[in-house]
Amino acid sequence: MISLSVLSVFVPTFLLVSLTPGMCMTLAMVLGMTQGVRRTLWMMVGELVGVGLVAVAAGAGVATLMLSQPALFAVFKWLGGAYLAYLGVMMWRSRGRMAIPDNLESQGCAGRRELAMQGFVTAVANPKGWAFFVALLPPFLDASRPLAAQLGALVSIILTIEFVALLAYATGGQTLRHLLGQADKVRLLNRLAGTLMIGVGVWLILG
């Protein structure tokens, strides 16, 4: 279905791209810090659905049409970015469901749907993500072979690589929480997580 020569270039390329710090990876680290890896898995579900949607659209040529509608992206970017920035401000002030509670034994109660939606919006509302897939994915598709089978195989590889990268960043965030987990450093940890979340929101708006 997919030749080994193609995979030998495709896998390292997307592995490098996924491991590079970006909006989704930063979000995974922040949530790993404040919610723990297990709850961050819900954000990953939403993010992977979004990435899969963008990748399929890019492979099918739909992304070219989407990129020609800047007003549509502007709505996603501003609403999604403003919401993430708001959550960051609440974290910075040690308030809201996303912040680390004063009692470190308790866990924030961000909802699964809320976490999944954060991941989905961050993935889909990023024009750079669409442009990236438009530029990189089509060259790996062989016009002489069935498109659907190739696209399904490549997207599956992308999502697997993306999940591993998200898990690594979330684990790093949780480790940082443990290192700074003393009760007297909760405010500092919330402010660090909040600043990163605000950065993701601004990044999304300006992206």
Side-chain angles (χ1 to χ4, degrees):
M1 185 185 302
I2 304 294
S3 67
L4 290 178
S5 60
V6 170
L7 290 178
S8 66
V9 177
F10 181 83
V11 172
T13 298
F14 278 87
L15 180 61
L16 179 62
V17 169
S18 291
L19 290 175
T20 301
M23 287 189 296
C24 292
M25 297 305 147
T26 303
L27 181 60
M29 185 174 67
V30 170
L31 294 180
M33 192 186 308
T34 62
Q35 301 294 306
V37 174
R38 182 174 297 181
R39 293 195 65 79
T40 303
L41 290 173
W42 290 101
M43 182 282 290
M44 297 181 196
V45 170
E47 196 270 352
L48 292 175
V49 170
V51 168
L53 178 64
V54 173
V56 170
V62 178
T64 304
L65 176 62
M66 293 294 291
L67 288 173
S68 68
Q69 302 294 327
L72 180 62
F73 273 120
V75 173
F76 276 113
K77 286 167 55 180
W78 281 93
L79 291 179
Y83 178 61
L84 293 177
Y86 165 76
L87 290 177
V89 170
M90 295 298 286
M91 286 182 185
W92 206 89
R93 299 175 63 189
S94 297
R95 297 182 179 179
R97 294 180 298 174
M98 300 297 294
I100 301 171
D102 292 333
N103 179 4
L104 292 176
E105 296 303 319
S106 62
Q107 185 69 47
C109 56
R112 296 173 179 177
R113 183 177 300 179
E114 179 183 4
L115 292 169
M117 187 56 64
Q118 285 182 36
F120 180 80
V121 169
T122 303
V124 173
N126 181 14
K128 290 182 180 179
W130 287 85
F132 167 77
F133 278 112
V134 167
L136 280 187
L137 189 55
F140 289 101
L141 298 173
D142 187 348
S144 65
R145 299 183 178 184
L147 176 62
Q150 294 181 79
L151 195 55
L154 293 179
V155 170
S156 296
I157 294 173
I158 290 171
L159 295 182
T160 300
I161 293 173
E162 186 79 358
F163 174 71
V164 171
L166 288 169
L167 195 59
Y169 273 82
T171 301
Q174 182 170 267
T175 300
L176 182 61
R177 171 176 175 158
H178 290 158
L179 292 176
L180 299 177
Q182 294 86 350
D184 60 340
K185 295 182 180 178
V186 169
R187 182 176 294 274
L188 172 63
L189 201 54
N190 273 328
R191 288 185 173 182
L192 176 60
T195 300
L196 290 172
M197 183 70 88
I198 293 170
V200 173
V202 173
W203 193 351
L204 185 57
I205 292 173
L206 300 179

